[in-house]
Amino acid sequence: MNKNTVLSYATIIMIIVGLLLIGLGAFRYDHVAGWGFASVGIGFFAIAWVFNALKGRV
């Protein structure tokens, strides 16, 4: 497994976790905690975007 494959798997995992957190924030928690879960999910998307941009450069 090379570095690009590891970054690809990390990106996929981060996207899945981000979707799960946004889903928890939208459907499970109605109060302030929902906003927190959704914002952390968006943060996971941002980190996955950075991982995707690093493929081929590291």
Side-chain angles (χ1 to χ4, degrees):
M1 217 191 292
N2 60 9
K3 290 180 270 189
N4 289 332
T5 307
V6 171
L7 285 173
S8 297
Y9 283 137
T11 302
I12 291 170
I13 291 169
M14 295 289 283
I15 289 172
I16 291 170
V17 171
L19 285 173
L20 288 173
L21 285 170
I22 291 173
L24 276 174
F27 300 115
R28 176 71 172 103
Y29 298 104
D30 295 332
H31 300 292
V32 177
W35 288 101
F37 275 103
S39 64
V40 170
I42 293 171
F44 269 76
F45 280 157
I47 296 170
W49 183 22
V50 170
F51 282 169
N52 193 22
L54 286 175
K55 283 193 302 190
R57 299 176 197 263
V58 176

